[in-house]
Amino acid sequence: MLGPVVYQPGSQRFVNDPYPAFDALRAGPPTLYDEATGQWVVSRYALVDRLLRDRRLGRTYLHVADNAEFGRPPEPAYLRPFWSTIRNGMLDREPPDHTRLRRLVSAAFTARRVQQLAPRITALAGELIDELLDAGSDGSPVDLVAVLAEPLPVTVIAELLGVPESDRSLLRPWSAVICRMFELGADRAAGEAASAACAEFGDYLRRLASARRAAPADDLLTALTQVADADGGRLSEDELVGTCVLLLNAGHEATVNATGNGVWALLRHPDQHARLRSDPAALLSTAVEEMLRYDCATPMFERWVLTDITIGGHTGGDTGGAEAVDAVEVRRGAELALLLGSANRDPAVFAEPDRFDVSRSPNPHLTFGAGIHFCLGAPLARLELAASTGALLRRVPKLAAAAEPAYKSGFVVRGLRSLSVTVR
Ligand code: HEM
């Protein structure tokens, strides 16, 4: 059982600073059952890393069982539009569907397409820094999340997919409502709102895709309408919509929060901030990885147990390795909460894990996950973080925090409400 003080993902105090609780969890058994969420909580790096890659677990169980078999209630009708959209994206599919979808989407969302965006991302970061400098030119505080962290990834993913500028203001509200469903304890009102957003978002994307079929453009949406694998297999219309919703949501929610958390980490460690400023050419790429590790924007992802497993211990199907002696049996049908944010602070892997070190290397953080669902957008996210951080270093020498920021209530996607800074 978990003590009430240790793991409380629904409490604002916990979300503000989960790290002492993560330390306590890692010092305990390999996994603990949390009554409140009904999940088995896993906090050590070695276990989180192995379980993310373990094919006896899944992001869904619906490819091998139905809800009744997993002891879950039937799906309410009001959630159907939400789930049918989400389940048509690769993140909520398992092989062989996941393999097929990821291959098709990767054929359009290529490393080359991402690299080609680099100059545009740098230019965009520059324009947003102009706005930041303008807004703060009289010495008044400016919200860095609203002016830089949010608009950069939203604009990039919208341009990449080919969403016209006039429609972009629709994206963030749809995406915010949908992403609320991934937080623990989402209620009926959240579900109805997410279903309505999925229906509207889906209709919008269907119209846009049909326009691109009629008149192909040089954008990712057109490429997704055209991709075919070796057997001529294509994305179905529903999969195309599910993929675009996933790319638009995943493509900015996590990056907005990673940018806010990362810049805040930099500002509250003035020695490291100064070090990075003294040699950005050498340190920017390691600093970006440390910003991703230190205050993780994606601290928890869930997995369903598809086959009985042993977590920790040494027996067959072992997921514990040499460090674990106290094995815990977890049955098919259980749900795991894998704490990526805790793994990132595990002293077994990171020397002085609570130290923010812009030159940390190696830095094998789990912020982008691991295994078959490893973040498809990691290269783009890294490019965006390097562009915004690089531009801040070059253009805003006096950047400083104006106040201690507050975290939003979400734990699954965890980030700042705002980050008030001064720029002169
Ligand atoms: C700092 C920013 C980002 C973070 C921290 C992040 C984190 C993650 C994590 C942890 C996963 C795996 C979830 C799991 O295993 O259950 C994931 C998957 C995914 N991410 Fe990201 N992400 C970021 C940015 C992006 C961007 C910019 C895109 C796309 C443009 C993107 C697209 C995806 C997709 C498509 C998947 C599903 C991959 C699959 O199921 O095979 N992400 N992301």
Side-chain angles (χ1 to χ4, degrees), residues 52 59 90-93 98 102 109 157 160 246-247 250-252 254-255 258 292 297-298 301-303 340 366-370 372-378 380-381 384-385:
L52 282 168
R59 287 223 17 134
M90 74 184 86
L91 184 55
D92 280 79
R93 297 279 267 277
H98 173 268
R102 184 152 174 143
F109 186 40
I157 193 67
L160 179 67
L246 172 63
L247 290 174
H252 78 270
T255 317
L292 285 161
T298 46
F301 275 92
E302 293 153 341
R303 287 294 186 272
L340 280 51
L366 294 180
T367 299
F368 291 118
I372 63 167
H373 291 287
F374 180 82
C375 178
L376 189 68
L380 177 58
E384 291 176 340
L385 269 167

Side-chain angles (χ1 to χ4, degrees), residues 234-256:
R234 291 178 173 278
L235 293 175
S236 70
E237 182 77 2
D238 287 344
E239 288 169 347
L240 179 72
V241 168
T243 296
C244 290
V245 170
L246 172 63
L247 290 174
L248 284 162
N249 288 349
H252 78 270
E253 281 298 338
T255 317
V256 171

